[in-house]
Amino acid sequence: GRIIGFRTGDHGWLDDRGCLYVSGRRDRQVKVNGFPVQLNDVESTILDHPGIDAAAVKGFPAEHGDNTLVAYIVPNDQAPSRSDLRLFLTGKMPHYMLPGTFAELTSLPLLESGKVDYPGLEKPDADEPELNQPGPSGPVRETYVAPRDSVERAIAVIWERTLKISPIGVKDHFFEFGGDSLGATQTVLEI
């Protein structure tokens, strides 16, 4: 038989038995909520904000096999709050491209060549309050509105468990708080 090859942007190898192993991508593309996301595109959009001097975005495997995005930002004297930055990005990209977490750094780790050391960027600790909590340093929230009755409280508890963020208000947006399509499906089933 004839072997047909396709240029997909993936790195990989064939073993002695002919099994194909995929080890990564050349172009820094990851899947988020089933959509391919070019990390360079997310970085350049973050850099459009005048309060950001440098940015790097990295995808980390999520519990369900997809990826979550973490943005490492180096702000300047016009630094936006994380909620302002999320609001800025919401108008420029689809929700699945929005990083779930923003980690503020004084500088990005660099290789000897001057390029960003992406393997050196570690996933931020999810328990770190300024990264995990809503408000000025967390997900976008204009005003917090507490659940007003038992149904809203029950739904908020389910959201908090799914998103691993507390407290959740009745005006909060599931996807802006790091939710994804699988989490939304699980949440709907639980509700």
Side-chain angles (χ1 to χ4, degrees):
R2 196 170 95 180
I3 297 177
I4 299 174
F6 296 95
R7 293 184 183 263
T8 63
D10 294 307
H11 284 282
W13 71 92
L14 285 173
D15 69 8
D16 295 337
R17 298 178 319 204
C19 292
L20 177 64
Y21 295 89
V22 178
S23 60
R25 292 196 52 89
R26 258 193 325 254
D27 57 3
R28 297 193 58 240
Q29 177 179 296
V30 297
K31 282 218 178 211
V32 178
N33 295 340
F35 295 98
V37 174
Q38 290 288 344
L39 299 178
N40 294 342
D41 292 345
V42 179
E43 289 172 356
S44 66
T45 306
I46 292 170
L47 289 170
D48 285 344
H49 193 286
I52 304 298
D53 283 341
V57 178
K58 188 172 176 180
F60 289 95
E63 294 173 10
H64 52 79
D66 226 349
N67 289 283
T68 58
L69 301 182
V70 175
Y72 302 87
I73 57 173
V74 178
N76 58 36
D77 58 346
Q78 300 173 21
S81 68
R82 290 194 179 117
S83 60
D84 288 341
L85 183 55
R86 276 184 154 289
L87 201 53
F88 173 81
L89 295 174
T90 299
K92 296 184 171 282
M93 63 177 62
H95 69 82
Y96 63 85
M97 290 178 70
L98 289 171
T101 303
F102 291 89
E104 193 171 303
L105 303 174
T106 54
S107 64
L108 295 177
L110 301 177
L111 300 169
E112 288 180 22
S113 64
K115 294 181 179 182
V116 175
D117 179 13
Y118 288 100
L121 294 169
E122 296 182 9
K123 187 172 185 178
D125 184 6
D127 295 329
E128 204 172 322
E130 67 270 12
L131 297 177
N132 199 31
Q133 295 301 315
S137 63
V140 118
R141 175 178 276 162
E142 291 179 26
T143 57
Y144 172 75
V145 177
R148 298 162 289 206
D149 58 33
S150 61
V151 173
E152 288 180 352
R153 277 191 293 281
I155 292 171
V157 167
I158 294 168
W159 276 37
E160 288 171 359
R161 191 172 38 246
T162 302
L163 298 172
K164 296 177 178 66
I165 292 176
S166 179
I168 291 291
V170 297
K171 292 192 174 189
D172 294 333
H173 190 285
F174 186 81
F175 293 109
E176 289 176 1
F177 276 69
D180 56 30
S181 58
L182 182 61
T185 302
Q186 291 170 336
T187 300
V188 168
L189 288 173
E190 192 170 344
I191 290 172

